[in-house]
């Protein structure tokens, strides 16, 4: 029988029961639901609204239910729309009137908002942990490959040589910002709606500050209508998950390219690769591709909830029941993707020679040759032109800048001298970029220390 059976002459049919239920999704919130109910019952007793004996019976009954859920012996019944009704009706079945007093001064509207906020605070912290694991993996690979040079690209065309470590560390900064966004989403969730009741507050002398403290929330939400209607905290979380997934999809795209025959920069471990059912030679970067692919779904979850909330009048509307599926999925997916990417990074093999071989192609020294002339007094634009002509010569001869003879250089400008050879050395080119945040070994060492110092100890 539904908790509102008093006003109804007919119960929902099997279809509407199933269609209206959120239990399959929100049963994951059982712990938070019980935690919230215990805090509410203790506060009701302290305020003299229920007896201490009833509060004790409620607490004990809820503990028994939690134990049964965790042992897998709790009989969930879809006739109870959601986790809140499942637990409350079972509690009343077990302890009678005391259980039926639990919902005094409370509505499922403030209850569901409370549970979801408690749950998401926890999830955000777990996502932050997974984020740190991936940053550690990136930092470890950077540290282990400090001397490896690769072609840096713009437009996916060879541009200038960079340290492979520098390239990997770029992702740690994206992830550090993702960590910050998750922390902000956690702060947004960290406010207590309990005591808002259905929408208007309640006539019972509830102490909202007491439940705020008992549940570990930073503050009570100051407006009862807002308390039951606000789902911004979920948007914030899904947004944080979406941006982080976007970053992972960029990283994975590079891992996919780097592990192709054309690049050959890395080999992913067997544990993070799959074979083909028909082509015996294949080793595919499925997991990197999956992360890239799952990003679409996570961003979709953000759009979905935004559209669900659009134009909803205050206060609670059943539309809002649609909030949890996408939010939980976004958090689950990001967590899996972070763990998967960390494992992939931790176990991949790096091929420095292949990176160096590619770095020698595509005239990566061109900017530095132009700088060489500019430092000898030629205006940079003129130097750019001279080097452009040298590159054209190389292209026609099918060689690289480093293959040209001193006479070839001097034919374009008398400013070229013997020391042009060192201007063509890739390591010297890399190590000359000593500006803060640059790719010189010294600058990358400093960056590495900064990236490490942001990690929690
Ligand atoms: N299952 C509902 C949800 O997840 C709980 C709140 C229901 N409130 C109501 N007035 N129907 O949104």
């Amino acid at each position: 029988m539904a908790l509102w059976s008093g006003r109804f002459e007919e119960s929902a049919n099997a279809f509407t029961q199933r269609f209206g239920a959120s239990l399959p999704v929100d049963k994951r919130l059982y712990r938070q639901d019980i935690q919230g109910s215990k805090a509410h019952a203790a506060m009701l007793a302290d305020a003299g609204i229920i007896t201490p004996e009833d509060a004790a019976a409620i607490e004990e009954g809820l503990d028994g239910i939690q134990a049964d859920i965790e042992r897998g012996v709790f009989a969930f019944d879809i006739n109870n729309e959601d986790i809140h009704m499942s637990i409350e009706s079972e509690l009343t079945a077990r302890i009678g009137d005391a259980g039926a007093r639990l919902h005094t001064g409370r509505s499922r509207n403030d209850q569901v908002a409370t549970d979801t906020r408690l749950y998401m605070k926890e999830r955000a912290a777990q996502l932050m942990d997974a984020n740190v694991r991936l940053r550690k993996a990136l930092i470890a690979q950077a540290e282990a490959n400090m001397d490896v040079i690769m072609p840096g690209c713009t437009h996916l065309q060879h541009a200038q040589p960079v340290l492979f470590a520098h390239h990997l560390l770029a992702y740690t900064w994206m992830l550090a910002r993702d960590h910050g966004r998750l922390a902000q989403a956690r702060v947004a969730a960290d406010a207590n709606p309990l005591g808002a009741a259905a929408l208007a507050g309640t006539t019972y002398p509830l102490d909202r500050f007491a439940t705020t403290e008992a549940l570990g929330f930073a503050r009570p939400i100051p407006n009862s209508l807002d308390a039951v209607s606000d789902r911004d905290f979920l948007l914030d979380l899904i947004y944080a998950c979406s941006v982080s997934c976007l970053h992972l999809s960029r990283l994975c795209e590079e891992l996919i390219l780097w592990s192709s025959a054309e690049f050959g920069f890395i080999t992913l471990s067997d544990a993070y690769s799959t074979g083909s059912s028909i082509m015996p030679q294949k080793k595919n970067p499925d997991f990197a591709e999956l992360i890239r692919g799952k990003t679409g779904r996570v961003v979709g979850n953000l759009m979905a909830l935004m559209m669900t909330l659009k134009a909803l009048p205050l206060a609670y509307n059943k539309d809002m029941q649609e909030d949890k599926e996408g939010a939980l999925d976004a958090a689950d997916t990001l967590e899996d993707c972070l763990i998967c990417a960390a494992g992939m990074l931790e176990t991949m093999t790096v091929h420095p020679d292949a990176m160096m071989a590619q770095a020698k192609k595509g005239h990566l020294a061109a900017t530095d040759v132009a700088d060489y002339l500019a430092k000898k007094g030629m205006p940079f634009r003129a130097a750019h032109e001279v080097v452009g002509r040298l590159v054209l010569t190389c292209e026609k001869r099918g060689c690289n800048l480093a293959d040209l003879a001193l006479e070839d250089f001097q034919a374009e400008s008398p400013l070229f001298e013997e020391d042009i050879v060192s201007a063509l050395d890739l390591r010297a080119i890399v190590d000359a970029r000593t500006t803060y945040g640059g790719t010189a070994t010294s600058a990358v060492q400093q960056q590495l220390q900064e990236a490490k110092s942001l990690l929690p100890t």
Side-chain angles (χ1 to χ4, degrees):
M1 212 200 292
L3 291 174
W4 48 77
S5 59
R7 194 235 175 275
F8 283 74
E9 291 180 340
E10 247 185 287
S11 51
N13 65 36
F15 173 78
T16 55
Q17 283 287 6
R18 183 186 62 75
F19 187 69
S22 56
L23 183 61
V25 172
D26 62 28
K27 64 174 155 192
R28 282 175 65 176
L29 308 186
Y30 77 90
R31 220 162 19 85
Q32 290 71 22
D33 193 69
I34 287 172
Q35 191 189 354
S37 288
K38 282 184 180 176
H40 182 67
M43 179 276 296
L44 288 177
D46 286 345
I49 302 165
I50 62 172
T51 63
E53 292 72 31
D54 280 349
I58 289 169
E59 174 153 357
E60 204 184 310
L62 289 171
D63 283 341
I65 290 174
Q66 177 159 345
D68 285 357
I69 294 175
E70 285 169 359
R71 278 191 297 131
V73 297
F74 186 88
F76 283 108
D77 175 1
I78 198 78
N79 289 323
N80 288 316
E81 172 189 307
D82 51 33
I83 188 65
H84 326 294
M85 285 168 64
S86 301
I87 291 176
E88 191 194 326
S89 48
E90 177 64 19
L91 181 71
T92 305
R94 291 188 187 191
I95 67 168
D97 278 355
R101 291 198 175 97
L102 169 61
H103 213 51
T104 312
R106 187 176 72 165
S107 155
R108 279 184 303 145
N109 298 348
D110 57 343
Q111 190 179 359
V112 69
T114 305
D115 296 2
T116 311
R117 284 171 177 274
L118 287 171
Y119 187 84
M120 285 310 183
K121 274 177 65 181
E122 215 175 287
R123 280 311 267 143
Q126 289 160 346
L127 292 172
M128 285 154 76
D129 288 346
N131 169 291
V132 168
R133 178 176 159 197
L134 176 55
R135 276 152 70 195
K136 284 184 177 161
L138 285 161
I139 287 171
Q141 280 289 5
E143 235 172 350
N145 291 285
M146 271 306 287
D147 56 343
V148 177
I149 291 175
M150 71 183 289
C153 288
T154 63
H155 313 269
L156 204 56
Q157 303 288 320
H158 285 197
Q160 293 174 348
V162 294
L163 287 187
F164 179 54
H166 191 50
H167 196 115
L168 290 180
L169 287 174
Y171 285 100
T172 67
W173 299 108
M174 299 178 215
L175 285 157
R177 294 193 295 277
D178 294 344
H179 194 272
R181 271 180 282 271
L182 290 167
Q184 281 167 22
R186 195 178 176 282
V187 169
D190 196 9
N192 184 18
L194 197 60
L199 72 163
T202 169
T203 55
Y204 296 98
L206 301 190
D207 184 350
R208 295 193 58 212
F209 292 87
T211 53
T212 296
E213 199 184 322
L215 294 172
F217 280 117
R219 57 200 183 278
I221 297 174
N223 179 309
S224 61
L225 293 165
D226 186 41
V228 294
S229 308
D230 171 17
R231 294 295 184 272
D232 305 0
F233 70 101
L234 290 177
L235 292 178
D236 289 349
L237 184 86
I238 310 175
Y239 172 70
C241 293
S242 297
V243 177
S244 197
C245 274
L246 288 181
H247 289 150
L248 295 187
S249 78
R250 297 179 76 170
L251 171 64
C252 285
E253 170 68 8
E254 301 216 272
L255 295 178
I256 293 163
L257 287 172
W258 293 345
S259 60
S260 69
E262 283 70 18
F263 282 78
F265 288 2
I266 58 163
T267 304
L268 294 175
S269 67
D270 285 359
Y272 289 91
S273 309
T274 56
S276 153
S277 57
I278 177 169
M279 298 169 281
Q281 86 286 8
K282 290 281 279 176
K283 185 170 169 186
N284 297 326
D286 277 34
F287 300 99
E289 294 169 80
L290 259 183
I291 293 174
R292 192 178 58 183
K294 283 175 188 286
T295 301
R297 210 178 69 229
V298 174
V299 176
N301 287 329
L302 177 62
M303 294 307 128
L305 183 56
M306 284 189 155
M307 289 306 103
T308 299
L309 296 177
K310 176 183 173 293
L312 276 191
L314 295 183
Y316 181 84
N317 301 271
K318 184 76 166 180
D319 315 42
M320 289 158 76
Q321 179 169 287
E322 287 294 306
D323 63 353
K324 283 171 286 299
E325 194 167 353
L328 294 178
D329 179 64
D332 292 348
T333 305
L334 174 61
E335 187 173 48
D336 284 351
C337 290
L338 287 166
I339 292 169
C340 185
M344 214 151 39
L345 261 292
E346 281 158 5
T347 58
M348 74 182 191
T349 309
V350 177
H351 303 301
D353 293 349
M355 293 191 197
M356 191 52 151
Q358 283 301 325
K360 286 183 177 155
K361 297 181 194 164
H363 319 291
L364 296 190
T367 312
D368 293 71
V369 177
D371 286 343
Y372 171 98
L373 292 174
K375 283 174 189 166
K376 294 200 175 193
M378 187 183 284
F380 182 78
R381 280 287 148 243
H384 187 289
E385 187 69 24
V386 167
V387 182
R389 281 198 299 273
L390 285 166
V391 168
L392 194 58
T393 304
C394 290
E395 288 293 311
K396 285 180 179 158
R397 291 190 202 164
C399 70
N400 294 306
L401 277 174
D403 301 323
L404 295 179
L406 181 58
E407 299 76 64
D408 297 318
F409 284 102
Q410 286 172 336
E412 290 295 344
S413 167
L415 290 177
F416 283 117
E417 294 171 89
E418 281 294 343
D419 59 353
I420 183 57
V421 178
S422 58
L424 294 168
D425 178 66
L426 292 181
R427 191 161 300 276
I429 289 171
V430 165
D431 281 336
R433 287 175 163 68
T434 54
T435 38
Y436 176 79
T439 198
T441 309
S442 59
V444 174
Q445 288 286 11
Q446 186 189 349
Q447 185 193 155
L448 192 74
Q449 293 318 316
E450 278 192 47
K452 274 186 176 177
S453 72
L454 286 187
L455 296 174
T457 41

